[in-house]
Amino acid sequence: GENVEQHPSTLSVQEGDSAVIKCTYSDSASNYFPWYKQELGKRPQLIIDIRSNVGEKKDQRIAVTLNKTAKHFSLHITETQPEDSAVYFCAARQNNAGNMLTFGGGTRLMVKP
Amino acid sequence: EADIYQTPRYLVIGTGKKITLECSQTMGHDKMYWYQQDPGMELHLIHYSYGVNSTEKGDLSSESTVSRIRTEHFPLTLESARPSHTSQYLCASSEYPYEQYFGPGTRLTVT
């Protein structure tokens, strides 16, 4: 089955700096890679996703890059703000597994004002 | 408004009690999932369903059971609650090829 590794597990940045979270996956058949943000006491919510036919996707201050050859993808947050503080989860979905997602272990991002 | 609803949101119960956590979605999704998550930690898939009368166990072994008699309803039952079941339980649903949507969660404490 699929295995997703996520690094780092915690990340502390100064407000205004950039933050990068990296994930690797094991199954080359995976074709969809979402990122979820979970604020304290809230449900995980999708913030951006990328499909295997695209190498990069951007939405305002957040962007995701995908390297299919190396089987890794990354979340980039620029100009971080205190409200970006949350736990972020990456995930990978296999092409032959319906809508089953395999999640990474999560990254706790802290943005210091 | 189309959403996923979970009840109760918080539950404190004694050891040995039988409990059912409710999950309903009004988005018409075929696929539904249950995750167990300690606050802010990794998401562990414990059950999933691809449609009515279809249920499977997930990656994390769980003493709970699920049923899927109606498309919109996916309850999770613990026959005999134990302190080790204390955690947050998140329900989710999806429709291929789109993302999974999560419910607000049930925070369970077993004393």
Side-chain angles (χ1 to χ4, degrees):
Chain A
E2 176 65 277
N3 183 50
V4 177
E5 301 280 342
Q6 183 171 346
H7 298 281
S9 56
T10 61
L11 179 59
S12 181
V13 300
Q14 206 67 37
E15 182 178 358
D17 288 349
S18 295
V20 180
I21 303 169
K22 299 181 179 180
C23 289
T24 60
Y25 60 99
S26 61
D27 193 334
S28 56
S30 290
N31 64 353
Y32 173 68
F33 307 92
W35 285 89
Y36 285 83
K37 174 184 180 182
Q38 186 177 28
E39 296 178 52
L40 189 64
K42 301 283 184 66
R43 70 183 84 181
Q45 291 197 302
L46 181 80
I47 54 171
I48 195 166
D49 57 13
I50 192 167
R51 299 182 190 274
S52 58
N53 59 345
V54 176
E56 184 174 357
K57 184 176 178 180
K58 191 173 181 180
D59 182 4
Q60 298 183 333
R61 294 187 299 108
I62 59 172
V64 58
T65 58
L66 171 65
N67 184 325
K68 286 174 57 181
T69 303
K71 288 189 281 188
H72 69 70
F73 56 112
S74 300
L75 177 71
H76 305 253
I77 306 174
T78 58
E79 300 171 28
T80 53
Q81 301 167 3
E83 51 264 38
D84 294 329
S85 297
V87 179
Y88 292 80
F89 293 97
C90 65
R93 184 179 72 203
Q94 297 164 269
N95 191 37
N96 58 352
N99 244 21
M100 193 68 61
L101 292 177
T102 301
F103 285 89
T107 296
R108 184 176 301 275
L109 173 64
M110 293 168 284
V111 180
K112 295 178 286 186
Chain B
E1 181 182 339
D3 203 349
I4 303 179
Y5 303 93
Q6 290 187 244
T7 57
R9 294 293 314 280
Y10 303 91
L11 179 62
V12 180
I13 200 161
T15 297
K17 299 291 186 183
K18 178 181 178 178
I19 57 171
T20 295
L21 308 184
E22 301 288 349
C23 175
S24 293
Q25 51 98 0
T26 57
M27 293 183 282
H29 290 167
D30 283 340
K31 299 170 181 61
M32 296 189 74
Y33 315 83
W34 276 104
Y35 293 89
Q36 183 175 342
Q37 182 192 36
D38 291 330
M41 302 297 284
E42 192 169 356
L43 292 154
H44 296 284
L45 180 69
I46 53 176
H47 295 282
Y48 60 97
S49 167
Y50 283 161
V52 171
N53 294 325
S54 153
T55 61
E56 300 286 345
K57 288 187 179 293
D59 300 326
L60 182 69
S61 175
S62 173
E63 293 161 345
S64 57
T65 59
V66 293
S67 63
R68 188 88 183 276
I69 298 171
R70 302 197 317 264
T71 298
E72 64 273 19
H73 195 215
F74 191 39
L76 181 145
T77 298
L78 277 167
E79 291 291 335
S80 180
R82 294 209 304 266
S84 61
H85 296 138
T86 294
S87 190
Q88 175 167 250
Y89 294 84
L90 288 163
C91 181
S93 73
S94 71
E95 192 68 34
Y96 187 86
Y98 304 106
E99 73 268 24
Q100 285 188 20
Y101 292 88
F102 285 86
T106 293
R107 187 157 292 182
L108 173 66
T109 302
V110 184
T111 61

